[in-house]
Amino acid sequence: MFARIFRPAKTAMQSGRAKAAAWVLEFEPSDARRSDPLMGWTQTGDTESSQVRLSFETKEEAVRYAESHGIAFQLFDPKPAKRILKAYADNFAFGRRTPWTH
Protein backbone atom coordinates (compact mmCIF):
# COMPACT_ATOMS: atom_id res chain seq x y z
CA MET A 1 0.00 0.00 0.00
CA PHE A 2 1.22 3.46 -0.91
CA ALA A 3 -0.30 6.60 0.60
CA ARG A 4 -0.31 10.35 0.01
CA ILE A 5 -0.19 12.82 2.88
CA PHE A 6 -1.43 16.28 1.94
CA ARG A 7 -3.46 19.26 3.06
CA PRO A 8 -6.53 19.65 0.81
CA ALA A 9 -7.18 22.92 -0.98
CA LYS A 10 -10.20 24.98 -0.08
CA THR A 11 -13.27 24.34 -2.14
CA ALA A 12 -14.21 26.72 -4.92
CA MET A 13 -17.76 27.06 -3.64
CA GLN A 14 -16.91 28.96 -0.47
CA SER A 15 -14.47 31.59 0.62
CA GLY A 16 -13.64 30.01 4.00
CA ARG A 17 -11.03 27.36 4.79
CA ALA A 18 -13.21 25.18 7.04
CA LYS A 19 -12.29 21.73 5.71
CA ALA A 20 -8.82 22.63 4.49
CA ALA A 21 -7.10 22.87 7.89
CA ALA A 22 -6.58 19.14 8.51
CA TRP A 23 -3.93 16.90 6.96
CA VAL A 24 -5.21 13.87 5.04
CA LEU A 25 -3.69 10.41 4.56
CA GLU A 26 -5.21 8.86 1.45
CA PHE A 27 -4.22 5.58 -0.21
CA GLU A 28 -3.25 5.43 -3.88
CA PRO A 29 -5.40 3.05 -5.96
CA SER A 30 -3.73 -0.26 -6.73
CA ASP A 31 -5.83 -0.98 -9.82
CA ALA A 32 -7.64 1.17 -12.36
CA ARG A 33 -11.31 2.05 -12.16
CA ARG A 34 -13.57 0.49 -14.74
CA SER A 35 -17.05 1.29 -15.95
CA ASP A 36 -19.98 -0.89 -14.95
CA PRO A 37 -21.58 -2.18 -18.18
CA LEU A 38 -25.16 -2.01 -16.86
CA MET A 39 -25.33 1.34 -15.01
CA GLY A 40 -22.23 3.11 -16.30
CA TRP A 41 -20.90 3.86 -12.81
CA THR A 42 -17.22 3.51 -12.11
CA GLN A 43 -16.16 0.64 -9.90
CA THR A 44 -13.02 -0.79 -8.40
CA GLY A 45 -12.11 -3.85 -6.39
CA ASP A 46 -9.78 -1.87 -4.16
CA THR A 47 -11.69 -0.80 -1.04
CA GLU A 48 -8.80 0.87 0.79
CA SER A 49 -8.01 3.46 -1.85
CA SER A 50 -11.60 4.42 -2.57
CA GLN A 51 -13.12 4.43 0.93
CA VAL A 52 -10.36 4.98 3.51
CA ARG A 53 -9.34 8.58 4.14
CA LEU A 54 -7.78 9.49 7.48
CA SER A 55 -7.64 13.05 8.84
CA PHE A 56 -5.01 14.40 11.23
CA GLU A 57 -4.59 17.77 12.89
CA THR A 58 -0.87 18.07 12.10
CA LYS A 59 1.53 16.82 9.46
CA GLU A 60 3.68 15.15 12.13
CA GLU A 61 0.74 13.05 13.37
CA ALA A 62 0.05 11.78 9.85
CA VAL A 63 3.70 10.92 9.23
CA ARG A 64 3.98 9.19 12.62
CA TYR A 65 0.87 7.12 11.88
CA ALA A 66 2.18 6.01 8.48
CA GLU A 67 5.60 5.11 9.85
CA SER A 68 4.21 3.21 12.83
CA HIS A 69 1.95 1.11 10.58
CA GLY A 70 4.62 0.50 7.93
CA ILE A 71 2.83 2.44 5.19
CA ALA A 72 4.98 3.87 2.41
CA PHE A 73 3.95 7.46 1.82
CA GLN A 74 4.69 10.57 -0.17
CA LEU A 75 4.36 13.95 1.54
CA PHE A 76 2.97 16.95 -0.37
CA ASP A 77 3.53 20.31 1.33
CA PRO A 78 0.94 22.97 0.45
CA LYS A 79 2.00 25.88 -1.70
CA PRO A 80 1.65 29.30 -0.06
CA ALA A 81 -1.43 31.21 -1.13
CA LYS A 82 -0.77 34.09 -3.49
CA ARG A 83 -2.62 37.12 -2.15
CA ILE A 84 -3.72 39.87 -4.51
CA LEU A 85 -4.63 43.03 -2.63
CA LYS A 86 -7.51 44.83 -4.29
CA ALA A 87 -9.78 47.65 -3.27
CA TYR A 88 -13.14 48.53 -4.73
CA ALA A 89 -12.08 52.17 -4.94
CA ASP A 90 -9.39 51.22 -7.48
CA ASN A 91 -12.18 50.82 -10.07
CA PHE A 92 -12.75 54.60 -9.94
CA ALA A 93 -9.13 55.76 -9.57
CA PHE A 94 -7.92 58.70 -11.67
CA GLY A 95 -4.79 56.86 -12.90
CA ARG A 96 -6.68 53.72 -13.97
CA ARG A 97 -5.10 51.84 -16.92
CA THR A 98 -8.32 51.25 -18.81
CA PRO A 99 -10.95 53.98 -18.81
CA TRP A 100 -14.17 53.51 -16.93
CA THR A 101 -16.87 53.24 -19.59
CA HIS A 102 -20.09 53.44 -17.64
Side-chain angles (χ1 to χ4, degrees):
M1 293 188 308
F2 189 75
R4 298 183 303 146
I5 298 175
F6 63 97
R7 178 181 261 171
K10 74 179 192 76
T11 63
M13 299 305 293
Q14 57 187 343
S15 61
R17 297 190 50 85
K19 294 184 180 180
W23 286 83
V24 175
L25 185 140
E26 192 174 68
F27 293 100
E28 290 287 328
S30 60
D31 58 341
R33 291 185 175 266
R34 55 194 175 278
S35 178
D36 181 60
L38 180 63
M39 297 298 290
W41 297 341
T42 58
Q43 64 183 359
T44 182
D46 187 17
T47 306
E48 293 154 349
S49 67
S50 61
Q51 296 180 3
V52 177
R53 184 175 181 158
L54 303 173
S55 298
F56 299 93
E57 288 188 21
T58 63
K59 172 175 56 172
E60 290 77 20
E61 288 179 12
V63 169
R64 192 174 330 126
Y65 178 85
E67 289 174 347
S68 66
H69 286 83
I71 300 170
F73 65 91
Q74 185 174 9
L75 183 64
F76 295 98
D77 286 323
K79 295 179 183 176
K82 188 167 87 171
R83 304 286 177 171
I84 300 172
L85 298 176
K86 293 182 180 180
Y88 180 69
D90 291 340
N91 290 331
F92 308 102
F94 182 73
R96 184 182 161 100
R97 286 187 191 168
T98 56
W100 185 256
T101 59
H102 291 74

